[in-house]
Amino acid sequence: MTDRYRLPALYKHNEDGCIVIAHRGASAYYPENTMAAFKGAEELGAEMIELDVLLSSDGVPVVFHDAKLEGHSSGKGLLSGYTLRQLKALDAGAWFDKGFKGIHIPTLEEVLAFAAGTIAVNIELKTEAVTDRGSGGVEEKCLRLVEEYGMDRHVLFSSFDYRAVSHLKALDPAVPVALLYNRSASGKRLPGELVKQYKADACNMSYRQFNTKRRRDLNSNGIPHFIYTVDHPNRMWKLLDAGVTGIFTNKPDLLKAVIDQWRKEQ
Ligand code: G3P
Ligand code: MG
């Protein structure tokens, strides 16, 4: 790995060399993208939490995965049609288990207030929130919040929308940004070429797309790479053998245990 690529500084000691990233928090055990899931991830030993950002109708970055509210909240229709106040009136826990009834969709700011000084954050900007606007858009709103909380060297931004990667790097060339490999936007181009074109620091990729050709391309270019979303021990083990930089999982405790075992056998 070379100095060309900037990665977030972790708050936790990571001597095992593979970064454990809790996908939407510890989302196997808690409702995804909620404070409960992020706090749970930290308690289970994750070194980074991943979250998804969309904008409310009044322009506030909120943490939620799907463009539509059905399924993971008590709301209906597009999240982008709701003000923050309306979103805060929704329940974001009962769909998972009624024991979590009464918890709410967090803002990015609330998560940063928890994470600052405690755990690194991968902020995924959802395509639905990205526009052609280089300034004043979701990228700048999130970056300013991150700076306000002193997290600008402890976050990894990412997006499937490559415009967001360019916008972020134009706003702050030093902030770590990963290109989320998007097959339809990439054509036949390999990740090395894309990372160079967009001046990204890393490539995040589905384990399904992480084939021999792309793996070799990433390694030969020294590009840090984070693979999602892996909850199966055998698959985790193979990725550790492949020397990936980090793994996204819904079960950070399981990944920690697999890494411990893997290290013993090296
Ligand atoms: O950033 C990794 C992963 O979260 C990307 O896919 O759909 O789970 O946000 P998705
Ligand atoms: Mg995501």
Side-chain angles (χ1 to χ4, degrees), residues 7-28:
L7 290 183
L10 304 176
Y11 291 108
K12 294 189 182 187
H13 187 56
N14 179 40
E15 65 175 24
D16 54 44
C18 174
I19 301 175
V20 175
I21 310 166
H23 179 247
R24 311 182 194 176
S27 56

Side-chain angles (χ1 to χ4, degrees), residues 23-24 50-52 65 124 126 180:
H23 179 247
R24 311 182 194 176
E50 185 261 1
L51 54 82
D52 306 287
H65 182 269
E124 182 189 339
K126 300 313 280 183
L180 245 167

